[in-house]
Amino acid sequence: MSAAIFPRIELNGEAASADDLRHLVQTNYGHFTAFRVENGMVRGLDLHLDRLQHATRELFASELDRERVRAWVRRAVAGETRELSVRVNVFARALDRERLDQPVAADVLVIVAPASTPATTPLRVKSFRYTRDLPAIKHVGTLPLFHHRRRARQAGCDDALFVDADGRISEGSVWNIGFVDRDGGIVWPDAPQLDGVSMQLLKAGLARAGMRSITRTIRLADLGEFRAAFFTNATTPVRSIASIDAHDLDVDDDAFAMLGRCHGSESLQLP
């Protein structure tokens, strides 16, 4: 695969045409996952496939063949040694908006592009009272996420952090958040959120390393209990958060290096 043909866009294992993509524009209903490919392999691939299968059952009442999805990803990244960014969108061209209660077979769109360099600058985030619809699903309804990020940037911050109706910190715009407590343990918020693959890999790596990692309610008023906080998603496994609203946090390089090692301890998988 040469750089000249990026991005590569394939539908159900074949090159996608403009007409194939028309449904994505006309009906914003579906879900996706995104990951990095390193030397043709993916960290946490099984977790991404689990996510896609679960959401397909929830949104389309049908089964997604994970082995076919693996084959389509393998085809789309074949021959590349560069790090890649892959997005797998699941939608249904056969979806009838007048019969949404009926099961429908899903289509799978694989988009491949060169991976971006993960950002390292500590983030300043602004909190907003907001909870995503169907927070457990990585669905395509992303307008509110980017609108809140825009509002955060208009206020002089970098990104948005969400707090639910009960005042609990949940997740960022397109990322999960974790905290480092005063004793060096890792604490995750328990409010409704997407169970991000990067977060799952970090939790598993922490368990393997014998490091303390717990999940509990965290409110904005509790920020003084923590010395540091971090952003995590598929693009950037660990990124420091410098502040939440007016509350400053330390940049704990030792803790973040440990988290990076925990994330990297998960084996890469071939599609």
Side-chain angles (χ1 to χ4, degrees):
M1 190 192 307
S2 66
I5 65 171
F6 278 130
R8 172 172 281 189
I9 304 175
E10 297 190 348
L11 178 66
N12 300 336
E14 303 290 342
S17 68
D19 191 61
D20 289 330
L21 304 179
R22 177 172 50 83
H23 186 91
L24 284 172
V25 177
Q26 293 179 323
T27 305
N28 192 33
Y29 187 84
H31 62 92
F32 69 100
T33 197
F35 48 82
R36 294 176 76 92
V37 176
E38 306 169 42
N39 293 318
M41 296 189 287
V42 182
R43 206 176 305 276
L45 179 60
D46 282 342
L47 298 173
H48 287 285
L49 293 170
D50 289 345
R51 164 187 285 169
L52 293 174
Q53 283 190 304
H54 167 75
T56 299
R57 292 181 192 120
E58 181 72 20
L59 298 186
F60 300 110
S62 61
E63 287 297 321
L64 188 68
D65 186 334
R66 64 192 290 141
E67 292 309 312
R68 293 184 73 185
V69 175
R70 290 182 78 140
W72 292 335
V73 171
R74 187 163 59 246
R75 168 192 156 91
V77 304
E80 266 297 338
T81 58
R82 288 171 288 182
E83 290 198 7
L84 302 172
S85 173
V86 175
R87 174 170 168 142
V88 180
N89 263 78
V90 178
F91 67 110
R93 288 173 295 172
L95 186 73
D96 183 344
R97 287 182 286 185
E98 302 304 317
R99 303 178 65 200
L100 290 171
D101 56 318
Q102 299 298 309
V104 63
D107 294 294
V108 176
L109 188 76
V110 179
I111 305 172
V112 182
S116 60
T117 301
T120 58
T121 306
L123 284 166
R124 298 162 300 139
V125 304
K126 179 175 174 56
S127 65
F128 294 92
R129 184 64 60 89
Y130 174 71
T131 300
R132 292 188 305 114
D133 290 329
L134 298 175
I137 292 178
K138 193 175 180 73
H139 55 74
V140 296
T142 56
L143 184 148
L145 309 183
F146 293 116
H147 180 64
H148 281 94
R149 177 185 277 181
R150 180 173 184 269
R151 290 178 62 194
R153 294 190 65 83
Q154 288 174 327
C157 294
D158 300 304
D159 213 326
L161 176 69
F162 301 139
V163 179
D164 73 7
D166 295 323
R168 300 174 296 173
I169 291 173
S170 58
E171 60 186 348
S173 61
V174 291
W175 43 275
N176 292 109
I177 188 170
F179 294 86
V180 183
D181 68 19
R182 297 295 175 184
D183 297 322
I186 305 302
V187 184
W188 307 93
D190 69 349
Q193 61 184 287
L194 181 71
D195 196 9
V197 169
S198 184
M199 181 175 70
Q200 293 182 63
L201 295 178
L202 283 170
K203 288 180 176 180
L206 287 163
R208 282 192 297 270
M211 304 296 295
R212 183 165 57 85
S213 172
I214 63 171
T215 300
R216 69 169 178 84
T217 296
I218 304 172
R219 291 182 165 83
L220 293 175
D222 301 327
L223 291 177
E225 300 176 18
F226 305 102
R227 69 171 187 243
F230 58 93
F231 158 125
T232 181
N233 70 8
T235 300
T236 309
V238 180
R239 184 177 180 184
S240 174
I241 294 176
S243 63
I244 299 173
D245 297 334
H247 184 88
D248 293 329
L249 293 150
D250 294 339
V251 176
D252 192 331
D253 290 330
D254 290 340
F256 299 150
M258 178 271 296
L259 286 163
R261 291 191 297 272
C262 288
H263 185 275
S265 69
E266 181 73 25
S267 297
L268 290 161
Q269 297 175 267
L270 284 167

